[in-house]
Amino acid sequence: MSRYRVEHVTGFKYQSMVSASYNEARMFAVRDDSQLVFSSKLEIEPKGSVHEYFDYFGTRTAMFEVLEPHNEMTLTSTTVVEVRPRDSMVANLNWHEIAPLVAKDLALTDAVAQTRRTAPPAELVKFAKKKAAELSPNETAMEICRFVYDRVKYQHGVTGVHSVATEAWSKQIGVCQDFAHLVIGALRAVGLPARYVSGYLHPQLEPVIDETVVGESHAWVEWFSGDWVAYDATNDVAIGDRHIEVGRGRDYDDVAPLRGVYAGPFASELFVSVQITREV
């Protein structure tokens, strides 16, 4: 197991003063059997009223408003979390067993429906259907993950937060968000429920204790084959003790770290920085 301190700073800079802003933040680590959260703090500047709740998908969310003029808004989330060994997923239902479960479970029905972001390219659908006709659901999912990993190059600056799966596929370039959307779209195309998972990833394979490194938000996928199986398609690795989970949803739109609206005619610019320190 590993313990991490994560400091995630984000916010908006406006071209001039805005009179008010209304926002949602999803920047809290999940508390479950695989993650023990020792502390979790969210600071907002300028200060405003904050209401916390768990959204439809179970992600802890802070909704807040700033009702005084401001030209910059900053959120600082500081979390200390211990990542523990995750249970090995052994469920391996076949296609005929999964289909009736999807039909009667609303969460699975939601997870099998395509969104604007996950709608997959025809070439990827063709590959996924071919594998689904030959292999089990888990085997098909792994083949899809590796196919996307082999075909798409990881690179910043080509796609953005508003990109969709087909855009990354056509360019053969993307970031973790794009890898997740592509895999999820292909899984859903063959009837396998899939979810987008947001969180953080320590960038070093062997994190050094007490060394602070530059990190970033990360995304991976889960699919349902009798239980939820998680996989990091961007790096072609199983989820391990370097992954810190924040939330789940249908796609990025459900788990964006910060989103909101503001009152003013001016443009805004999002800024982000993440620092991760392994403590134990």
Side-chain angles (χ1 to χ4, degrees):
M1 65 182 66
S2 299
R3 185 183 302 171
Y4 299 100
R5 177 180 297 273
V6 182
E7 184 177 88
H8 182 174
V9 180
T10 188
F12 292 109
K13 293 181 180 179
Y14 308 102
Q15 285 185 337
S16 190
M17 288 288 183
V18 299
S19 58
S21 62
Y22 308 86
N23 310 273
E24 285 183 345
R26 291 171 172 82
M27 299 165 63
F28 302 104
V30 168
R31 299 173 186 263
D32 60 18
D33 291 341
S34 63
Q35 292 190 173
L36 176 61
V37 179
F38 287 91
S39 63
S40 182
K41 179 173 65 174
L42 182 65
E43 299 174 283
I44 304 169
E45 189 62 38
K47 291 179 170 39
S49 59
V50 181
H51 170 65
E52 288 189 16
Y53 65 97
F54 289 91
D55 69 14
Y56 175 79
F57 301 100
T59 303
R60 185 180 168 196
T61 306
M63 182 172 63
F64 62 96
E65 56 187 18
V66 179
L67 301 180
E68 62 180 76
H70 56 286
N71 60 8
E72 182 174 324
M73 181 185 65
T74 302
L75 281 75
T76 303
S77 170
T78 306
T79 302
V80 177
V81 56
E82 184 174 273
V83 181
R84 298 177 168 184
R86 291 170 165 85
D87 293 335
S88 297
M89 300 300 182
V90 296
N92 191 14
L93 300 183
N94 63 42
W95 294 107
H96 298 297
E97 293 171 319
I98 291 175
L101 295 178
V102 173
K104 65 182 182 181
D105 188 310
L106 181 58
L108 296 180
T109 301
D110 284 339
V112 84
Q114 298 288 7
T115 69
R116 178 186 65 85
R117 285 186 179 271
T118 66
E123 181 184 3
L124 185 53
V125 172
K126 181 179 179 180
F127 174 86
K129 289 184 175 180
K130 179 177 183 296
K131 293 301 177 181
E134 303 169 346
L135 303 171
S136 71
N138 277 340
E139 292 169 335
T140 298
M142 290 304 304
E143 287 292 319
I144 290 171
C145 288
R146 288 169 183 148
F147 185 61
V148 171
Y149 177 79
D150 289 339
R151 292 291 298 272
V152 180
K153 178 183 177 182
Y154 183 88
Q155 183 176 320
H156 279 284
V158 178
T159 58
V161 294
H162 301 295
S163 296
V164 299
T166 50
E167 180 182 348
W169 188 258
S170 65
K171 295 177 178 178
Q172 302 288 279
I173 292 174
V175 292
C176 58
Q177 171 184 309
D178 303 303
F179 280 78
H181 285 155
L182 284 164
V183 170
I184 289 169
L187 294 171
R188 290 173 177 170
V190 294
L192 199 56
R195 304 190 295 204
Y196 184 105
V197 186
S198 70
Y200 306 102
L201 173 66
H202 195 292
Q204 298 176 350
L205 293 177
E206 297 292 338
V208 178
I209 293 176
D210 292 332
E211 179 182 35
T212 298
V213 299
V214 175
E216 59 185 15
S217 295
H218 193 55
W220 55 95
V221 301
E222 290 180 340
W223 63 81
F224 182 83
S225 57
D227 203 342
W228 289 100
V229 181
Y231 198 77
D232 184 344
T234 307
N235 297 295
D236 193 25
V237 297
I239 301 304
D241 65 0
R242 296 187 297 129
H243 294 80
I244 302 165
E245 184 182 328
V246 171
R248 301 183 181 96
R250 294 163 297 185
D251 60 23
Y252 172 82
D253 287 338
D254 288 331
V255 289
L258 175 63
R259 66 191 319 159
V261 296
Y262 59 92
F266 313 106
S268 65
E269 177 184 356
L270 177 70
F271 59 89
V272 182
S273 71
V274 177
Q275 292 187 316
I276 305 178
T277 307
R278 181 180 176 186
E279 295 191 335
V280 176

